[in-house]
């Protein structure tokens, strides 16, 4: 079954803080023609250097977030939650205008962006949607972390984490991204970090805008957010959300199975590079994946290992 590319019907705007920069950012998402893809545009720099396509080969920095950069050195950071919202709502084409260097963090999840996209309304364009179909398994590793793309009939994501903090511990999740699964099961999962790491991050120029309003914060095994967790396994669901955003930098939805074990932004991007560099591992198709609901899946054996202290 052939489906059609989608964009927004109307412009939609918001204002929020950059979690790492601490800057107050105005953002407007605008409709775009077919085959544009997702494009970021900085309105605070010269027009001729303002555009940055959201592609895996434009990624410049992967410390604590995903940052893209054009040839002129103009950057936009922390794009992963918005990219996950585009992926989860099926938006193929959009222009994202920002008057600063970072996407607003909002509440630390993708839910506010899903809300904005739905308020703007999603419309079909007169061009078939193009998918990337996985033809053979490709995997990358780094220490104990692993990320894999393997053939499958749907767009699916599975993730495992293993933290030595007992409040998080071992968690896993597996979802088929069809029929509203992203919005209902993943979009509200927030980023997280440890209070003990905050000062170190700020010395690195990161987390300047972080707060209990836009992240789950743990002090030892205690969750400091008054409202607690949105899901019992919110930590692993957010890692899956991040992976969905990172994988959408392929430029099209990937029909196949992603498995991440303690993977982060850097390994997710490394996987895309390895996968798309192997012409025998994938092909383009306009045939949409079969319909399915949330699934369970096989998981790798969990190993006792310390994970990074922040999401």
């Amino acid at each position: 079954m052939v489906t059609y590319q989608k964009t927004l019907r109307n412009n939609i705007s918001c204002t929020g803080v950059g979690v790492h920069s601490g800057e107050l950012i105005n953002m407007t998402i605008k409709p775009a023609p077919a085959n544009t893809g997702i494009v970021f545009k900085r309105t605070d720099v010269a027009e001729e250097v303002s555009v940055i396509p959201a592609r895996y080969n434009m990624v410049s920095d992967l410390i604590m977030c995903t940052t893209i950069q054009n040839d002129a050195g103009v950057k936009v950071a922390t794009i992963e939650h918005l990219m996950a919202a585009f992926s989860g709502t099926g938006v193929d084409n959009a222009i994202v205008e920002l008057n600063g260097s970072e996407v607003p963090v909002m509440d630390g999840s993708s839910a506010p962006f899903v809300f904005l996209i739905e308020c703007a309304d999603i419309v079909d364009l007169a061009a078939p949607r193009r998918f990337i179909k996985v033809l053979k398994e490709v995997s990358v590793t780094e220490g104990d972390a692993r990320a894999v793309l393997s053939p499958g009939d749907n767009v699916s994501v599975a993730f495992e984490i293993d933290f030595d903090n007992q409040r998080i511990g071992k968690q896993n999740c597996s979802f088929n991204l069809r029929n509203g699964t992203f919005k209902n099961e993943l979009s509200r999962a927030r980023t997280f970090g440890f209070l003990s790491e905050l000062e170190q991050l700020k010395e690195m120029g990161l987390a300047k805008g972080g707060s209990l309003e836009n992240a789950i914060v743990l002090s030892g095994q205690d969750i400091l957010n008054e409202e607690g967790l949105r899901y019992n396994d919110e930590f692993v669901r957010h890692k899956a959300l991040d992976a969905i955003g990172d994988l959408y930098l392929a430029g099209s939805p990937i029909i196949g199975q992603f498995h991440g074990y303690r993977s982060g932004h850097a390994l997710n991007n490394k996987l895309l590079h390895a996968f798309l560099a192997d012409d025998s591992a994938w092909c383009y198709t306009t045939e949409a994946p079969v319909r399915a609901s949330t699934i369970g899946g096989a998981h790798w054996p969990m190993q006792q290992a310390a994970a990074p202290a922040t999401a």
Side-chain angles (χ1 to χ4, degrees), residues 189-230:
R190 294 162 294 174
T191 192
F192 59 94
F194 292 92
L195 185 63
S196 60
E197 302 290 332
L198 185 58
E199 287 306 315
Q200 180 183 351
L201 290 172
K202 288 186 176 180
E203 288 175 5
M204 296 169 59
L206 300 171
K208 294 178 180 178
S211 73
L212 293 173
E213 301 300 318
N214 54 45
I216 304 168
V217 180
L218 294 98
S219 177
Q221 297 178 40
D222 296 326
I223 294 172
L224 300 184
N225 305 70
E226 188 174 335
E227 73 276 20
L229 297 178
R230 294 175 175 177

Side-chain angles (χ1 to χ4, degrees), residues 80-149:
E80 59 271 14
H81 302 166
L82 178 57
M83 291 299 297
F86 284 136
S87 177
T89 56
V91 172
D92 304 280
N93 307 286
I95 306 294
V96 182
E97 292 190 348
L98 301 151
N99 68 342
S101 61
E102 189 174 10
V103 173
V105 68
M106 310 304 281
D107 71 348
S109 78
S110 289
F113 300 129
V114 172
F115 175 76
L116 289 170
I117 290 166
E118 291 183 340
C119 286
D121 200 10
I122 301 170
V123 294
D124 285 345
L125 297 167
R129 195 175 201 203
R130 190 167 68 165
F131 298 84
I132 296 172
K133 185 173 180 64
V134 181
L135 301 179
K136 72 175 188 181
E137 183 175 297
V138 174
S139 67
V140 293
T141 60
E142 189 170 300
D144 292 331
R146 186 182 184 208
V148 182
L149 279 169

Side-chain angles (χ1 to χ4, degrees), residues 1-3 6 153-155 176-181 288-295:
M1 181 180 67
V2 174
T3 57
K6 290 177 170 53
D153 294 328
N154 298 283
V155 180
N176 233 351
L177 303 180
R178 298 288 295 182
N179 306 326
T181 300
V290 299
R291 291 186 176 273
S293 58
T294 303
I295 59 170

Side-chain angles (χ1 to χ4, degrees), residues 244-305:
I244 291 165
D246 290 340
L247 291 174
Y248 209 43
L249 292 173
S252 295
I254 298 174
I255 300 176
Q257 301 176 9
F258 169 82
H259 289 259
Y261 173 66
R262 299 183 68 246
S263 182
H265 299 301
L267 199 59
N268 297 340
N269 189 252
K270 183 178 179 180
L271 175 63
L272 277 188
H273 276 273
F275 172 64
L276 294 172
D278 186 347
D279 291 340
S280 67
W282 62 278
C283 68
Y284 283 118
T285 179
T286 56
E287 185 175 345
V290 299
R291 291 186 176 273
S293 58
T294 303
I295 59 170
H299 300 287
W300 299 312
M302 301 292 280
Q303 302 175 16
Q304 187 65 36

